[in-house]
Amino acid sequence: MKTVLLVDDDQEFTTIAARIIEFIGCDVYTAGSIEEAKQWLADMRFDHLFLDFMLPDGSGLHLIDHIRNQKLSAHITLITGHPSVKAALANMCDDQINYLTKPIEADDVKRVLNRKTAAKPSQADPFERHFGCLIGHSPAMKKLVTMIERVAKTNANVMLMGESGAGKEVVAQAIHNASQCSGEQVAINCGAIAKDLIGSELFGHEKGAFTGAVGQKQGVFELAQDGTLFLDEVTEMPIEMQPNLLRALETKTVTRVGGAKPIEVNCRVVSATNRTLAEIAHKNVLREDIYFRLAVFPIEIPPLRARPEDIPLLSEYFVHQLNEEYKTHYQLSEQAHSVLAAHSWPGNIRELKHCIHRAFIMADPDTTTLTIDEIISSPFTTQQESQGQVQPAEPAATTASVAAPSAPVKVGETIEEVEKKLIYQTLNSVDGNKTLAAKMLGISTKTLYNRLNAYEQSTSEDTQ
Ligand SMILES: Nc1ncnc2c1ncn2[C@@H]1O[C@H](COP(=O)(O)OP(=O)(O)OP(=O)(O)O)[C@@H](O)[C@H]1O
Ligand SMILES: [Mg+2]
């Protein structure tokens, strides 16, 4: 007979589930919180745990950590009533863990109970971090992981393209980690260094090369010997410095400023830019010959809105990190998951991370639940929406929205009809904030009001 611990604070569910488990022929015990479950686990050996994802004193994930740290071999079935959490749970499944969604059926319970108990306890971290730093399980992320794996084994130069906050720096780190090369990863932000210093930063300088060069200095190419040189914001490098960069890439040698002797450098160059290919080509920000040397293997990092499956997992991950840091037990409420899933994240993963951090700071210290009342988007990142780079998501069910058509644009529609849709959809995406919507649309607030008045008038005329 198997011994089962059922951990859930929902009394009604516990009573029904306990009956099902007993009926199947198991010995069942119940706990309504993590603390209570820990007491049972200290006293008894369980074959199987049914574990609610959201408990009054923390997330079910904490109990998983506890079980793994104690090297307990009990099989775990996570239970959730919320569809948006499903994807996050699916990603955590392994030999030891699986999941069920409420309402549960007797057949499902039988199936999970009949699975063989894991022979080996898994690692303590419930999140799979690809190459030690990347979180995500969407198809887009899986494709990215495969690309990183493949290119890491070579010494090809990689150019990372993606919107701000999409994870270019994290991907650069992942490539370096996966490469297992002996050298370091050295980063330089090409847009943040004064024009007259960039040569010395890249290639180093000899003592006395210029006023202030009091000693000899190695540049980043030399410091990244046998490792990775990360040229961040490479398209912001002054155009007059680019021939020197080209020479270094071509000859794999650098000459320090004020020096005469070329020094051999062997490193992979990973570069990153927020700009699109079209911008790079038309705005004359990067010489074509340099582009082809840097982008031997270009990787486009998809924005977060193109991989919504990653939102619940990343959100849980950021909460987990904060809990670890502050020794707390907060968990996202179902309402929070719904709001997070509905936002379009123009600032990408950085915006999501900050949003979770804000919710964490504002959380009621007397509870362990994180709610998200509103998502405050940066006006800088939302500008991308007005440039057509973002398809605004449907507004959150819990926030007020402007009643308006949100159908896609069709061939045959007039410019006026398309404009009306764009205006209403933009307003929807910012919860009716007219000042922000006007900014995103690139029109004055007065023009926006005039348009809305005109639409209202024509609607009331139509209905008369
Ligand atoms: N896949 C991921 N898993 C976990 N954290 C991530 C992931 N992608 C990004 N982040 C986090 O999101 C934040 C932004 O990522 P990052 O700095 O790599 O973006 P970026 O594309 O370089 O942005 P920018 O163009 O503004 O420099 C960082 O805090 C990073 O740790
Ligand atoms: Mg960056």
mmCIF file of all heavy atoms in Angstrom, residues 129-130 133-136 141 144 160-172 189 230 232-233 272-274 301 307 310 314 317-318 321 347-354, ligand 1:
data_model
loop_
_atom_site.group_PDB
_atom_site.id
_atom_site.type_symbol
_atom_site.label_atom_id
_atom_site.label_comp_id
_atom_site.label_asym_id
_atom_site.label_seq_id
_atom_site.Cartn_x
_atom_site.Cartn_y
_atom_site.Cartn_z
ATOM 1 N N ARG A 129 18.168 26.026 -15.873
ATOM 2 C CA ARG A 129 18.855 27.196 -16.430
ATOM 3 C C ARG A 129 19.757 26.713 -17.548
ATOM 4 O O ARG A 129 20.765 26.063 -17.276
ATOM 5 C CB ARG A 129 19.713 27.873 -15.370
ATOM 6 C CG ARG A 129 18.894 28.542 -14.296
ATOM 7 C CD ARG A 129 19.796 29.037 -13.196
ATOM 8 N NE ARG A 129 19.142 28.782 -11.926
ATOM 9 C CZ ARG A 129 19.079 29.647 -10.939
ATOM 10 N NH1 ARG A 129 19.653 30.800 -11.044
ATOM 11 N NH2 ARG A 129 18.476 29.348 -9.818
ATOM 12 N N HIS A 130 19.366 27.024 -18.778
ATOM 13 C CA HIS A 130 20.205 26.599 -19.891
ATOM 14 C C HIS A 130 21.533 27.335 -19.809
ATOM 15 O O HIS A 130 21.556 28.557 -19.701
ATOM 16 C CB HIS A 130 19.538 26.917 -21.239
ATOM 17 C CG HIS A 130 18.125 26.432 -21.322
ATOM 18 N ND1 HIS A 130 17.807 25.113 -21.522
ATOM 19 C CD2 HIS A 130 16.942 27.084 -21.225
ATOM 20 C CE1 HIS A 130 16.499 24.981 -21.550
ATOM 21 N NE2 HIS A 130 15.946 26.167 -21.364
ATOM 22 N N CYS A 133 22.270 30.241 -17.164
ATOM 23 C CA CYS A 133 21.699 31.587 -17.028
ATOM 24 C C CYS A 133 20.395 31.833 -17.785
ATOM 25 O O CYS A 133 19.700 32.794 -17.505
ATOM 26 C CB CYS A 133 22.729 32.631 -17.449
ATOM 27 S SG CYS A 133 23.380 32.393 -19.100
ATOM 28 N N LEU A 134 20.075 30.985 -18.751
ATOM 29 C CA LEU A 134 18.900 31.264 -19.595
ATOM 30 C C LEU A 134 17.691 30.466 -19.135
ATOM 31 O O LEU A 134 17.752 29.242 -19.055
ATOM 32 C CB LEU A 134 19.186 30.813 -21.030
ATOM 33 C CG LEU A 134 19.805 31.745 -22.025
ATOM 34 C CD1 LEU A 134 19.852 31.055 -23.369
ATOM 35 C CD2 LEU A 134 19.028 33.033 -22.142
ATOM 36 N N ILE A 135 16.576 31.160 -18.913
ATOM 37 C CA ILE A 135 15.340 30.486 -18.525
ATOM 38 C C ILE A 135 14.375 30.553 -19.707
ATOM 39 O O ILE A 135 14.295 31.578 -20.384
ATOM 40 C CB ILE A 135 14.697 31.209 -17.319
ATOM 41 C CG1 ILE A 135 15.635 31.180 -16.117
ATOM 42 C CG2 ILE A 135 13.332 30.636 -16.974
ATOM 43 C CD1 ILE A 135 15.743 29.882 -15.407
ATOM 44 N N GLY A 136 13.627 29.494 -19.928
ATOM 45 C CA GLY A 136 12.610 29.512 -20.983
ATOM 46 C C GLY A 136 12.414 28.137 -21.563
ATOM 47 O O GLY A 136 13.356 27.350 -21.628
ATOM 48 N N MET A 141 12.523 29.570 -27.578
ATOM 49 C CA MET A 141 13.680 29.465 -26.684
ATOM 50 C C MET A 141 14.445 28.175 -26.948
ATOM 51 O O MET A 141 15.676 28.159 -26.944
ATOM 52 C CB MET A 141 13.193 29.556 -25.236
ATOM 53 C CG MET A 141 14.289 29.455 -24.204
ATOM 54 S SD MET A 141 15.617 30.650 -24.414
ATOM 55 C CE MET A 141 14.947 32.062 -23.597
ATOM 56 N N LEU A 144 16.584 28.692 -29.833
ATOM 57 C CA LEU A 144 17.719 29.533 -29.440
ATOM 58 C C LEU A 144 18.782 28.693 -28.718
ATOM 59 O O LEU A 144 19.985 28.827 -28.989
ATOM 60 C CB LEU A 144 17.193 30.645 -28.532
ATOM 61 C CG LEU A 144 18.135 31.750 -28.101
ATOM 62 C CD1 LEU A 144 18.641 32.517 -29.312
ATOM 63 C CD2 LEU A 144 17.432 32.733 -27.159
ATOM 64 N N LEU A 160 24.267 39.238 -32.153
ATOM 65 C CA LEU A 160 22.964 39.082 -31.513
ATOM 66 C C LEU A 160 22.106 40.295 -31.815
ATOM 67 O O LEU A 160 22.541 41.438 -31.594
ATOM 68 C CB LEU A 160 23.137 38.958 -29.995
ATOM 69 C CG LEU A 160 24.068 37.835 -29.530
ATOM 70 C CD1 LEU A 160 24.329 37.938 -28.038
ATOM 71 C CD2 LEU A 160 23.458 36.486 -29.872
ATOM 72 N N MET A 161 20.917 40.024 -32.339
ATOM 73 C CA MET A 161 20.008 41.129 -32.627
ATOM 74 C C MET A 161 18.729 40.942 -31.817
ATOM 75 O O MET A 161 18.246 39.811 -31.704
ATOM 76 C CB MET A 161 19.683 41.160 -34.115
ATOM 77 C CG MET A 161 20.747 41.895 -34.893
ATOM 78 S SD MET A 161 20.599 41.677 -36.648
ATOM 79 C CE MET A 161 21.235 40.085 -36.839
ATOM 80 N N GLY A 162 18.224 42.012 -31.276
ATOM 81 C CA GLY A 162 17.000 41.871 -30.494
ATOM 82 C C GLY A 162 16.686 43.168 -29.799
ATOM 83 O O GLY A 162 17.569 43.998 -29.577
ATOM 84 N N GLU A 163 15.407 43.314 -29.456
ATOM 85 C CA GLU A 163 14.967 44.544 -28.798
ATOM 86 C C GLU A 163 15.608 44.682 -27.418
ATOM 87 O O GLU A 163 16.079 43.693 -26.854
ATOM 88 C CB GLU A 163 13.445 44.492 -28.618
ATOM 89 C CG GLU A 163 12.706 44.643 -29.912
ATOM 90 C CD GLU A 163 11.209 44.449 -29.732
ATOM 91 O OE1 GLU A 163 10.723 44.465 -28.594
ATOM 92 O OE2 GLU A 163 10.547 44.268 -30.761
ATOM 93 N N SER A 164 15.554 45.876 -26.908
ATOM 94 C CA SER A 164 16.104 46.128 -25.585
ATOM 95 C C SER A 164 15.405 45.237 -24.547
ATOM 96 O O SER A 164 14.180 45.104 -24.571
ATOM 97 C CB SER A 164 15.897 47.601 -25.236
ATOM 98 O OG SER A 164 16.470 47.857 -23.998
ATOM 99 N N GLY A 165 16.191 44.623 -23.696
ATOM 100 C CA GLY A 165 15.639 43.793 -22.620
ATOM 101 C C GLY A 165 15.289 42.377 -23.035
ATOM 102 O O GLY A 165 14.802 41.586 -22.226
ATOM 103 N N ALA A 166 15.557 42.024 -24.303
ATOM 104 C CA ALA A 166 15.168 40.682 -24.782
ATOM 105 C C ALA A 166 16.145 39.610 -24.315
ATOM 106 O O ALA A 166 15.838 38.425 -24.380
ATOM 107 C CB ALA A 166 15.062 40.681 -26.303
ATOM 108 N N GLY A 167 17.336 40.016 -23.880
ATOM 109 C CA GLY A 167 18.268 39.026 -23.324
ATOM 110 C C GLY A 167 19.551 38.856 -24.127
ATOM 111 O O GLY A 167 20.179 37.803 -24.057
ATOM 112 N N LYS A 168 19.992 39.896 -24.815
ATOM 113 C CA LYS A 168 21.207 39.756 -25.640
ATOM 114 C C LYS A 168 22.427 39.463 -24.766
ATOM 115 O O LYS A 168 23.246 38.605 -25.093
ATOM 116 C CB LYS A 168 21.433 41.019 -26.482
ATOM 117 C CG LYS A 168 20.336 41.253 -27.497
ATOM 118 C CD LYS A 168 20.589 42.462 -28.339
ATOM 119 C CE LYS A 168 20.466 43.759 -27.576
ATOM 120 N NZ LYS A 168 19.111 44.027 -27.036
ATOM 121 N N GLU A 169 22.517 40.198 -23.645
ATOM 122 C CA GLU A 169 23.686 40.008 -22.787
ATOM 123 C C GLU A 169 23.667 38.608 -22.155
ATOM 124 O O GLU A 169 24.716 37.970 -22.027
ATOM 125 C CB GLU A 169 23.680 41.087 -21.700
ATOM 126 C CG GLU A 169 24.991 41.153 -21.002
ATOM 127 C CD GLU A 169 25.161 42.421 -20.163
ATOM 128 O OE1 GLU A 169 24.454 43.413 -20.409
ATOM 129 O OE2 GLU A 169 25.997 42.385 -19.266
ATOM 130 N N VAL A 170 22.479 38.146 -21.795
ATOM 131 C CA VAL A 170 22.368 36.812 -21.195
ATOM 132 C C VAL A 170 22.748 35.747 -22.227
ATOM 133 O O VAL A 170 23.422 34.772 -21.912
ATOM 134 C CB VAL A 170 20.921 36.558 -20.696
ATOM 135 C CG1 VAL A 170 20.854 35.285 -19.876
ATOM 136 C CG2 VAL A 170 20.428 37.704 -19.883
ATOM 137 N N VAL A 171 22.334 35.956 -23.467
ATOM 138 C CA VAL A 171 22.663 34.983 -24.523
ATOM 139 C C VAL A 171 24.178 34.996 -24.791
ATOM 140 O O VAL A 171 24.787 33.940 -24.980
ATOM 141 C CB VAL A 171 21.845 35.254 -25.812
ATOM 142 C CG1 VAL A 171 22.341 34.402 -26.963
ATOM 143 C CG2 VAL A 171 20.369 34.988 -25.565
ATOM 144 N N ALA A 172 24.775 36.184 -24.757
ATOM 145 C CA ALA A 172 26.232 36.261 -24.939
ATOM 146 C C ALA A 172 26.922 35.444 -23.848
ATOM 147 O O ALA A 172 27.846 34.675 -24.119
ATOM 148 C CB ALA A 172 26.684 37.719 -24.889
ATOM 149 N N ASN A 189 30.966 48.297 -23.911
ATOM 150 C CA ASN A 189 29.807 48.917 -24.531
ATOM 151 C C ASN A 189 30.296 49.983 -25.509
ATOM 152 O O ASN A 189 30.780 51.039 -25.112
ATOM 153 C CB ASN A 189 28.911 49.542 -23.452
ATOM 154 C CG ASN A 189 27.617 50.051 -24.039
ATOM 155 O OD1 ASN A 189 27.580 50.534 -25.177
ATOM 156 N ND2 ASN A 189 26.550 49.925 -23.287
ATOM 157 N N PHE A 230 32.841 40.544 -25.933
ATOM 158 C CA PHE A 230 31.443 40.933 -26.170
ATOM 159 C C PHE A 230 31.389 42.424 -26.505
ATOM 160 O O PHE A 230 31.607 43.272 -25.647
ATOM 161 C CB PHE A 230 30.598 40.609 -24.923
ATOM 162 C CG PHE A 230 29.149 40.999 -25.064
ATOM 163 C CD1 PHE A 230 28.446 40.772 -26.244
ATOM 164 C CD2 PHE A 230 28.463 41.586 -24.004
ATOM 165 C CE1 PHE A 230 27.102 41.131 -26.376
ATOM 166 C CE2 PHE A 230 27.122 41.943 -24.123
ATOM 167 C CZ PHE A 230 26.450 41.716 -25.310
ATOM 168 N N ASP A 232 29.120 45.088 -27.035
ATOM 169 C CA ASP A 232 27.718 45.453 -26.863
ATOM 170 C C ASP A 232 27.457 46.763 -27.611
ATOM 171 O O ASP A 232 28.340 47.615 -27.715
ATOM 172 C CB ASP A 232 27.430 45.616 -25.367
ATOM 173 C CG ASP A 232 25.963 45.420 -25.049
ATOM 174 O OD1 ASP A 232 25.178 45.158 -25.979
ATOM 175 O OD2 ASP A 232 25.604 45.516 -23.859
ATOM 176 N N GLU A 233 26.231 46.900 -28.112
ATOM 177 C CA GLU A 233 25.823 48.102 -28.869
ATOM 178 C C GLU A 233 26.845 48.436 -29.951
ATOM 179 O O GLU A 233 27.269 49.582 -30.099
ATOM 180 C CB GLU A 233 25.626 49.284 -27.928
ATOM 181 C CG GLU A 233 24.505 49.030 -26.931
ATOM 182 C CD GLU A 233 24.032 50.292 -26.245
ATOM 183 O OE1 GLU A 233 24.118 51.362 -26.862
ATOM 184 O OE2 GLU A 233 23.570 50.185 -25.103
ATOM 185 N N ALA A 272 26.415 42.747 -30.182
ATOM 186 C CA ALA A 272 24.971 42.873 -29.968
ATOM 187 C C ALA A 272 24.489 44.231 -30.429
ATOM 188 O O ALA A 272 25.230 45.221 -30.372
ATOM 189 C CB ALA A 272 24.653 42.692 -28.491
ATOM 190 N N THR A 273 23.258 44.251 -30.902
ATOM 191 C CA THR A 273 22.639 45.515 -31.305
ATOM 192 C C THR A 273 21.127 45.461 -31.112
ATOM 193 O O THR A 273 20.516 44.407 -31.244
ATOM 194 C CB THR A 273 22.951 45.863 -32.776
ATOM 195 O OG1 THR A 273 22.290 47.088 -33.093
ATOM 196 C CG2 THR A 273 22.497 44.788 -33.748
ATOM 197 N N ASN A 274 20.563 46.644 -30.778
ATOM 198 C CA ASN A 274 19.096 46.778 -30.684
ATOM 199 C C ASN A 274 18.504 47.079 -32.035
ATOM 200 O O ASN A 274 17.299 47.125 -32.198
ATOM 201 C CB ASN A 274 18.735 48.008 -29.835
ATOM 202 C CG ASN A 274 19.043 47.803 -28.394
ATOM 203 O OD1 ASN A 274 19.154 46.676 -27.953
ATOM 204 N ND2 ASN A 274 19.194 48.898 -27.669
ATOM 205 N N ILE A 301 17.163 37.345 -31.315
ATOM 206 C CA ILE A 301 16.512 36.933 -30.069
ATOM 207 C C ILE A 301 15.078 37.440 -30.099
ATOM 208 O O ILE A 301 14.854 38.648 -30.191
ATOM 209 C CB ILE A 301 17.266 37.488 -28.846
ATOM 210 C CG1 ILE A 301 18.714 36.978 -28.913
ATOM 211 C CG2 ILE A 301 16.599 37.069 -27.549
ATOM 212 C CD1 ILE A 301 19.619 37.604 -27.917
ATOM 213 N N ARG A 307 6.994 34.863 -27.485
ATOM 214 C CA ARG A 307 7.129 33.591 -26.759
ATOM 215 C C ARG A 307 6.390 33.675 -25.418
ATOM 216 O O ARG A 307 6.985 33.567 -24.340
ATOM 217 C CB ARG A 307 8.594 33.217 -26.556
ATOM 218 C CG ARG A 307 9.477 34.388 -26.182
ATOM 219 C CD ARG A 307 10.919 33.972 -26.001
ATOM 220 N NE ARG A 307 11.790 35.108 -26.021
ATOM 221 C CZ ARG A 307 12.751 35.349 -25.135
ATOM 222 N NH1 ARG A 307 12.973 34.505 -24.176
ATOM 223 N NH2 ARG A 307 13.512 36.401 -25.235
ATOM 224 N N ASP A 310 6.736 31.610 -22.146
ATOM 225 C CA ASP A 310 7.810 31.784 -21.167
ATOM 226 C C ASP A 310 7.422 32.726 -20.022
ATOM 227 O O ASP A 310 8.126 32.791 -19.015
ATOM 228 C CB ASP A 310 9.069 32.343 -21.856
ATOM 229 C CG ASP A 310 9.760 31.289 -22.704
ATOM 230 O OD1 ASP A 310 9.534 30.092 -22.442
ATOM 231 O OD2 ASP A 310 10.509 31.654 -23.626
ATOM 232 N N LEU A 314 9.194 32.544 -16.388
ATOM 233 C CA LEU A 314 10.123 33.621 -16.030
ATOM 234 C C LEU A 314 9.631 34.358 -14.788
ATOM 235 O O LEU A 314 10.423 34.699 -13.904
ATOM 236 C CB LEU A 314 10.257 34.604 -17.203
ATOM 237 C CG LEU A 314 11.184 34.166 -18.329
ATOM 238 C CD1 LEU A 314 10.904 34.972 -19.588
ATOM 239 C CD2 LEU A 314 12.650 34.308 -17.932
ATOM 240 N N TYR A 317 10.326 32.383 -11.844
ATOM 241 C CA TYR A 317 11.779 32.382 -11.630
ATOM 242 C C TYR A 317 12.219 33.661 -10.903
ATOM 243 O O TYR A 317 12.990 33.614 -9.944
ATOM 244 C CB TYR A 317 12.479 32.247 -12.977
ATOM 245 C CG TYR A 317 13.965 32.445 -12.929
ATOM 246 C CD1 TYR A 317 14.778 31.534 -12.262
ATOM 247 C CD2 TYR A 317 14.566 33.532 -13.548
ATOM 248 C CE1 TYR A 317 16.154 31.706 -12.222
ATOM 249 C CE2 TYR A 317 15.932 33.713 -13.516
ATOM 250 C CZ TYR A 317 16.723 32.801 -12.847
ATOM 251 O OH TYR A 317 18.078 32.981 -12.803
ATOM 252 N N PHE A 318 11.681 34.813 -11.345
ATOM 253 C CA PHE A 318 12.091 36.070 -10.715
ATOM 254 C C PHE A 318 11.591 36.144 -9.266
ATOM 255 O O PHE A 318 12.289 36.650 -8.391
ATOM 256 C CB PHE A 318 11.611 37.274 -11.540
ATOM 257 C CG PHE A 318 12.292 37.370 -12.887
ATOM 258 C CD1 PHE A 318 11.576 37.645 -14.045
ATOM 259 C CD2 PHE A 318 13.664 37.159 -13.003
ATOM 260 C CE1 PHE A 318 12.205 37.713 -15.284
ATOM 261 C CE2 PHE A 318 14.306 37.223 -14.233
ATOM 262 C CZ PHE A 318 13.574 37.506 -15.376
ATOM 263 N N GLN A 321 13.883 33.963 -7.246
ATOM 264 C CA GLN A 321 15.166 34.640 -6.979
ATOM 265 C C GLN A 321 15.030 35.628 -5.823
ATOM 266 O O GLN A 321 15.887 35.689 -4.944
ATOM 267 C CB GLN A 321 15.600 35.419 -8.223
ATOM 268 C CG GLN A 321 16.330 34.570 -9.247
ATOM 269 C CD GLN A 321 16.975 35.456 -10.301
ATOM 270 O OE1 GLN A 321 16.392 36.471 -10.698
ATOM 271 N NE2 GLN A 321 18.143 35.082 -10.746
ATOM 272 N N GLY A 347 9.073 46.237 -23.149
ATOM 273 C CA GLY A 347 10.434 46.295 -22.577
ATOM 274 C C GLY A 347 10.993 44.907 -22.311
ATOM 275 O O GLY A 347 12.014 44.758 -21.634
ATOM 276 N N ASN A 348 10.276 43.894 -22.806
ATOM 277 C CA ASN A 348 10.737 42.504 -22.777
ATOM 278 C C ASN A 348 11.019 41.983 -21.366
ATOM 279 O O ASN A 348 10.366 42.388 -20.422
ATOM 280 C CB ASN A 348 11.926 42.332 -23.728
ATOM 281 C CG ASN A 348 11.464 42.518 -25.160
ATOM 282 O OD1 ASN A 348 10.713 41.701 -25.661
ATOM 283 N ND2 ASN A 348 11.862 43.614 -25.778
ATOM 284 N N ILE A 349 12.031 41.094 -21.261
ATOM 285 C CA ILE A 349 12.227 40.386 -19.990
ATOM 286 C C ILE A 349 12.651 41.344 -18.887
ATOM 287 O O ILE A 349 12.290 41.190 -17.731
ATOM 288 C CB ILE A 349 13.226 39.228 -20.184
ATOM 289 C CG1 ILE A 349 12.659 38.305 -21.261
ATOM 290 C CG2 ILE A 349 13.471 38.483 -18.888
ATOM 291 C CD1 ILE A 349 13.473 37.105 -21.585
ATOM 292 N N ARG A 350 13.378 42.399 -19.269
ATOM 293 C CA ARG A 350 13.778 43.378 -18.241
ATOM 294 C C ARG A 350 12.530 44.006 -17.625
ATOM 295 O O ARG A 350 12.440 44.174 -16.413
ATOM 296 C CB ARG A 350 14.678 44.449 -18.847
ATOM 297 C CG ARG A 350 15.145 45.439 -17.778
ATOM 298 C CD ARG A 350 16.058 46.520 -18.291
ATOM 299 N NE ARG A 350 17.334 46.012 -18.725
ATOM 300 C CZ ARG A 350 17.766 46.016 -19.975
ATOM 301 N NH1 ARG A 350 16.988 46.515 -20.930
ATOM 302 N NH2 ARG A 350 18.940 45.539 -20.288
ATOM 303 N N GLU A 351 11.553 44.345 -18.474
ATOM 304 C CA GLU A 351 10.326 44.960 -17.978
ATOM 305 C C GLU A 351 9.578 43.983 -17.054
ATOM 306 O O GLU A 351 9.076 44.379 -15.992
ATOM 307 C CB GLU A 351 9.427 45.369 -19.156
ATOM 308 C CG GLU A 351 8.214 46.169 -18.718
ATOM 309 C CD GLU A 351 7.200 46.419 -19.822
ATOM 310 O OE1 GLU A 351 7.421 45.971 -20.966
ATOM 311 O OE2 GLU A 351 6.167 47.031 -19.524
ATOM 312 N N LEU A 352 9.546 42.717 -17.446
ATOM 313 C CA LEU A 352 8.872 41.706 -16.620
ATOM 314 C C LEU A 352 9.574 41.576 -15.257
ATOM 315 O O LEU A 352 8.940 41.554 -14.209
ATOM 316 C CB LEU A 352 8.856 40.355 -17.361
ATOM 317 C CG LEU A 352 8.335 39.154 -16.578
ATOM 318 C CD1 LEU A 352 6.870 39.342 -16.201
ATOM 319 C CD2 LEU A 352 8.469 37.865 -17.399
ATOM 320 N N LYS A 353 10.907 41.523 -15.320
ATOM 321 C CA LYS A 353 11.689 41.382 -14.082
ATOM 322 C C LYS A 353 11.413 42.557 -13.134
ATOM 323 O O LYS A 353 11.190 42.367 -11.945
ATOM 324 C CB LYS A 353 13.177 41.330 -14.465
ATOM 325 C CG LYS A 353 14.088 40.939 -13.350
ATOM 326 C CD LYS A 353 15.497 40.746 -13.883
ATOM 327 C CE LYS A 353 16.455 40.399 -12.777
ATOM 328 N NZ LYS A 353 17.809 40.137 -13.289
ATOM 329 N N HIS A 354 11.411 43.771 -13.694
ATOM 330 C CA HIS A 354 11.177 44.945 -12.858
ATOM 331 C C HIS A 354 9.748 44.971 -12.327
ATOM 332 O O HIS A 354 9.498 45.426 -11.215
ATOM 333 C CB HIS A 354 11.480 46.231 -13.644
ATOM 334 C CG HIS A 354 12.948 46.383 -13.926
ATOM 335 N ND1 HIS A 354 13.480 47.428 -14.627
ATOM 336 C CD2 HIS A 354 13.998 45.599 -13.595
ATOM 337 C CE1 HIS A 354 14.797 47.287 -14.713
ATOM 338 N NE2 HIS A 354 15.120 46.174 -14.089
HETATM 339 N N1 LIG B 1 16.084 33.994 -20.838
HETATM 340 C C1 LIG B 1 16.298 34.683 -19.714
HETATM 341 N N2 LIG B 1 16.280 34.054 -18.533
HETATM 342 C C2 LIG B 1 16.458 34.740 -17.385
HETATM 343 N N3 LIG B 1 16.661 36.053 -17.318
HETATM 344 C C3 LIG B 1 16.708 36.733 -18.471
HETATM 345 C C4 LIG B 1 16.545 36.085 -19.724
HETATM 346 N N4 LIG B 1 16.642 37.009 -20.704
HETATM 347 C C5 LIG B 1 16.853 38.176 -20.094
HETATM 348 N N5 LIG B 1 16.897 38.030 -18.755
HETATM 349 C C6 LIG B 1 17.058 39.105 -17.765
HETATM 350 O O1 LIG B 1 16.410 40.262 -18.292
HETATM 351 C C7 LIG B 1 17.195 41.431 -18.135
HETATM 352 C C8 LIG B 1 17.529 42.028 -19.493
HETATM 353 O O2 LIG B 1 18.364 41.136 -20.219
HETATM 354 P P1 LIG B 1 19.649 41.656 -21.046
HETATM 355 O O3 LIG B 1 20.411 42.676 -20.266
HETATM 356 O O4 LIG B 1 20.402 40.461 -21.509
HETATM 357 O O5 LIG B 1 18.896 42.349 -22.271
HETATM 358 P P2 LIG B 1 19.503 43.089 -23.542
HETATM 359 O O6 LIG B 1 18.856 42.496 -24.729
HETATM 360 O O7 LIG B 1 20.993 43.050 -23.475
HETATM 361 O O8 LIG B 1 18.955 44.558 -23.335
HETATM 362 P P3 LIG B 1 19.607 45.992 -23.808
HETATM 363 O O9 LIG B 1 19.522 46.018 -25.297
HETATM 364 O O10 LIG B 1 18.719 47.003 -23.191
HETATM 365 O O11 LIG B 1 21.007 46.027 -23.304
HETATM 366 C C9 LIG B 1 18.425 41.005 -17.358
HETATM 367 O O12 LIG B 1 18.193 41.244 -15.989
HETATM 368 C C10 LIG B 1 18.521 39.518 -17.594
HETATM 369 O O13 LIG B 1 19.120 38.856 -16.528
#
